[in-house]
Amino acid sequence: MIKKLTFITLLVIFFSACKNNKQNSGCGLQTCTANFSYLGVRFIDNNGKPVTLKNFSAINLRTNKSLTPVQYPPNIDFVAGFMLLTSDSNIKDFSTGGDNVKVTATDSLTNKTQTATLKISGGCGCHVAKISGPDDVVFN
């Protein structure tokens, strides 16, 4: 009897905690974590070392619009070659099923340009998420 009562009590606590995280974002009621997501991509050379970039661009191929610049979180210093693409602040810029995003950058030393496509979802999701595409774009 005590085990059954403990189990029921735990279930009530669990569902009460989830109730506080429910959000109605116009997409229906959903339970989301309080995390705040950021997505980025790193540009490296053949040896895995970061590349100093120029002429960076990121275009949502569905809307044909440049991604809105993301403000870096305070007190975070990213490595050279890392470009922050989006965050939960821009979740509505992407469809729920995901959009292809073309990223392009030029190596400031060699003037070589490299391009990659990532698929990023947002919309009615709780957070922006990378569905596919590389973590690292390699300059050959």
Side-chain angles (χ1 to χ4, degrees):
M1 177 68 178
I2 291 177
K3 287 183 182 181
K4 191 174 188 180
L5 184 58
T6 302
F7 179 72
I8 291 171
T9 304
L10 287 174
L11 280 177
V12 169
I13 291 170
F14 175 74
F15 286 113
S16 299
C18 289
K19 183 178 179 184
N20 294 333
N21 290 334
K22 290 196 180 198
Q23 301 173 5
N24 192 349
S25 61
C27 300
L29 201 58
Q30 56 188 350
T31 301
C32 298
T33 64
N35 294 343
F36 191 84
S37 295
Y38 292 90
L39 291 176
V41 64
R42 191 172 67 137
F43 291 84
I44 58 175
D45 65 15
N46 285 350
N47 298 317
K49 294 184 180 175
V51 173
T52 304
L53 303 173
K54 64 180 183 180
N55 302 328
F56 175 79
S57 69
I59 308 289
N60 183 327
L61 297 178
R62 177 181 59 87
T63 63
N64 205 32
K65 292 182 180 178
S66 294
L67 297 189
T68 306
V70 175
Q71 297 298 317
Y72 283 97
N75 303 322
I76 292 182
D77 187 20
F78 292 113
V79 297
F82 182 82
M83 296 303 294
L84 192 56
L85 298 175
T86 191
S87 72
D88 282 347
S89 294
N90 308 93
I91 194 166
K92 297 298 181 193
D93 293 346
F94 303 98
S95 66
T96 304
D99 297 336
N100 287 324
V101 174
K102 180 180 172 183
V103 294
T104 304
T106 302
D107 182 330
S108 62
L109 296 177
T110 65
N111 287 320
K112 288 184 180 178
T113 299
Q114 198 67 21
T115 300
T117 302
L118 296 88
K119 189 168 189 173
I120 298 174
S121 67
C124 287
C126 290
H127 305 286
V128 291
K130 184 178 77 165
I131 296 173
S132 64
D135 291 329
D136 298 324
V137 177
V138 181
F139 282 88
N140 296 322

